[in-house]
DNA sequence: GAATTATTAGGACATTTGTCCTAGGGCGTC
DNA sequence: GACGCCCTAGGACAAATGTCCTAATAATTC
């Protein structure tokens, strides 16, 4: 856990505000107010808004890596690890219904803004993809591992978008159940989708 | 086809700009420039930015309804109609890779902005859901029809998000092929997912 | 304790934002 | 030809935006 320096506080609050309100709609003033510092102080830590975005992406990458490493170290099998990933949809359902998936919505927004950081944001999705591919590989999926990983990522992204649009908690649960059924079906894993 | 009045031109351009740049990031000036009129003229047609958004949503609803009605009238069976829906992912892949799904990204953005129009935007997704549910019902899915419709909608939304993030055309194609396989499998249709 | 650096507050700056007003031009109707 | 009405241009307006400067304070180093 990093020290609670002003800089880290800014990144923390910016992370939440970018998630809950979007990058474009969140202003310097919003973040400064949330942190409780003056706008002038802000400039000492971050020269531009894009610099904050970069820092937020770095933070999210570190947290994602830490989360994946944590699941990896828990000692259970790849099937259980994949379920840990999927159950994020349940654990974070309230926030997902309100704001969507933090990574997916950021990638979408940055794509529309034609923002240089979009590539880096996508790398977070890449972390999930590679980690999931590793799990599927361990399950014996062979060269289908990455395709299965991408498919599962897309599935969860779709659930997040729909859950946000319809504010439908039951839908999240039924889709997660569907993924669990899909995971339990060994045949599906050698023949993707 | 509506007449090309200034008002309709504004809605048309706003529709494209909202899609390609996002609602929040698109300004009055952007739309006025795209249409080729002065900002003052603008106000005569739309009092607020939200009014334009409403008009854009109405336009998209009409176009969606027209598209669905068109597929309905083509005389083929429900299975072919559902495939028409899915093949939008292929037909619009260039735009989807650049800007995502017009409806999904709008719903996500409006959710973050806590915008009053989010509900209306979601109704466009509702049109697709109800139409798809009708097709699944015609396929004999019974009371599973709506669940299947939501699942397929989520699937396509997920593909759109991933395609945007990774700019991956091959992924779109392979997922569409997966959906076609899923559609061809009658067993899946009585046991969703 | 002095010197240097890091951090802070407050505000300036030009630009852009959404919104709104006014004045005039083009139009058809009496 | 005069009237009224829709449409248009241009700009005014306060507020907010990202960016940047200066001066004062706090912390660290010697």
């Amino acid at each position: 856990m990093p020290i609670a320096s002003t800089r880290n506080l800014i990144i923390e609050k910016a992370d939440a505000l970018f998630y809950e309100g979007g990058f474009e709609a969140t202003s310097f003033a919003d973040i400064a107010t949330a942190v409780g510092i003056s706008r002038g102080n802000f400039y000492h830590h971050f020269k531009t808004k894009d610099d904050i975005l970069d820092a937020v992406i770095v933070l999210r990458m570190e947290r994602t890596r830490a989360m994946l490493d944590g699941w990896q170290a828990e000692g259970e099998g790849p099937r259980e690890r994949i379920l840990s990933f999927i159950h994020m949809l349940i654990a974070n359902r309230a926030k997902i219904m309100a704001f969507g998936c933090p990574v997916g919505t950021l990638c979408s927004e940055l794509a529309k803004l034609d923002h240089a950081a979009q590539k880096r944001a996508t790398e977070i999705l890449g972390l999930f993809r590679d980690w999931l591919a590793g799990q599927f590989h361990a399950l014996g999926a062979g060269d289908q591992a990455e395709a299965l990983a991408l498919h599962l990522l897309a599935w969860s992204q779709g659930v997040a978008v729909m859950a946000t649009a319809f504010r439908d908690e039951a839908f999240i649960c039924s889709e997660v159940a569907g993924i669990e059924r899909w995971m339990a079906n060994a045949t599906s894993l050698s023949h993707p989708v």
Side-chain angles (χ1 to χ4, degrees), chain A:
Chain A
M1 190 69 72
I3 53 170
S5 65
T6 301
R7 188 190 152 89
N8 287 335
L9 254 180
I10 291 174
I11 302 175
E12 206 84 38
K13 293 292 184 182
D15 178 41
L17 289 171
F18 287 172
Y19 175 37
E20 296 170 11
F23 170 69
E24 179 82 6
T26 301
S27 71
F28 269 57
D30 292 334
I31 306 173
T33 303
V35 179
I37 60 172
S38 69
R39 280 202 337 286
N41 189 0
F42 217 105
Y43 184 70
H44 180 259
H45 296 282
F46 296 98
K47 298 254 173 271
T48 70
K49 201 181 173 186
D50 290 351
D51 288 344
I52 310 179
L53 177 59
D54 286 340
V56 166
I57 292 176
V58 167
L59 174 72
R60 292 192 185 182
M61 284 210 81
E62 287 168 353
R63 295 213 166 139
T64 301
R65 239 189 292 263
M67 184 172 61
L68 296 177
D69 287 350
W71 291 338
Q72 198 72 27
E74 271 175 12
E76 299 181 275
R79 207 175 287 271
E80 290 73 25
R81 294 196 192 110
I82 296 176
L83 289 181
S84 296
F85 165 77
I86 288 306
H87 285 140
M88 276 199 305
L89 285 170
I90 304 284
N92 302 330
R93 62 191 185 280
K95 291 217 143 200
I96 288 173
M97 283 190 290
F99 315 114
C101 165
V103 192
T105 53
L106 182 63
C107 286
S108 293
E109 181 179 3
L110 295 183
K112 278 185 200 284
L113 297 177
D114 202 18
H115 198 289
Q118 199 240 326
K119 241 180 138 181
R120 260 159 290 151
T122 301
E123 281 173 27
I124 307 178
L125 274 182
L127 286 180
F128 282 110
R129 176 200 56 201
D130 296 342
W131 183 86
L132 284 171
Q135 308 310 315
F136 281 115
H137 197 85
L139 280 176
D143 55 0
Q144 287 296 321
E146 179 164 313
L148 287 165
L150 282 172
H151 176 68
L152 188 52
L153 253 186
W155 198 341
S156 59
Q157 286 296 322
V159 171
V161 170
M162 294 287 288
T164 309
F166 288 107
R167 312 260 146 141
D168 189 341
E169 184 168 348
F171 175 72
I172 298 181
C173 297
S174 79
E175 285 291 306
V176 166
I179 295 174
E180 288 172 347
R181 250 174 287 141
W182 176 74
M183 281 293 302
N185 185 350
T187 318
S188 299
L189 294 183
S190 48
H191 301 88
V193 183

